[in-house]
Amino acid sequence: IQVNNSNRVAITLDNKDQIPVSTSEEIRIDELRFEPPAGVSTQHNKESGELSWKLTLKPGETQKIRVSYRVVYPKDMELFGY
């Protein structure tokens, strides 16, 4: 995720993203990596998968936030998304 402040003043953004949540014991979400810039406070709701964080950007500043995960499931299982 990349955000940019093209304003002439600093701005504060409330950001939200979501990762998958499994309701099956056979499916797990592993290796969650959430890498916001240093000093940014974050929250992860494990029940809903929601990630949230507040980010302040100076005028003209760009920040990147990296989110990654791995879905692990049995080889013979078919996954369906909505």
Side-chain angles (χ1 to χ4, degrees):
I1 302 169
Q2 181 172 310
V3 291
N4 178 48
N5 179 6
S6 59
N7 295 299
R8 294 182 180 168
V9 296
I11 60 172
T12 299
L13 302 172
D14 286 322
N15 301 274
K16 293 187 186 295
D17 201 355
Q18 188 174 21
I19 61 167
V21 176
S22 175
T23 56
S24 169
E25 291 182 13
E26 294 181 275
I27 302 171
R28 20 180 247 282
I29 310 303
D30 283 352
E31 300 180 16
L32 172 63
R33 294 185 69 194
F34 180 55
E35 301 172 4
V40 173
S41 66
T42 62
Q43 294 180 345
H44 176 209
N45 181 324
K46 293 182 180 184
E47 289 180 18
S48 69
E50 183 178 273
L51 300 168
S52 59
W53 64 99
K54 190 174 281 198
L55 185 63
T56 300
L57 297 172
K58 298 175 187 170
E61 184 177 19
T62 299
Q63 290 282 351
K64 291 183 180 181
I65 297 96
R66 186 176 300 237
V67 180
S68 63
Y69 55 86
R70 183 172 65 139
V71 179
V72 180
Y73 58 95
K75 188 176 183 177
D76 61 341
M77 177 183 271
E78 288 187 47
L79 296 181
F80 297 94
Y82 302 146

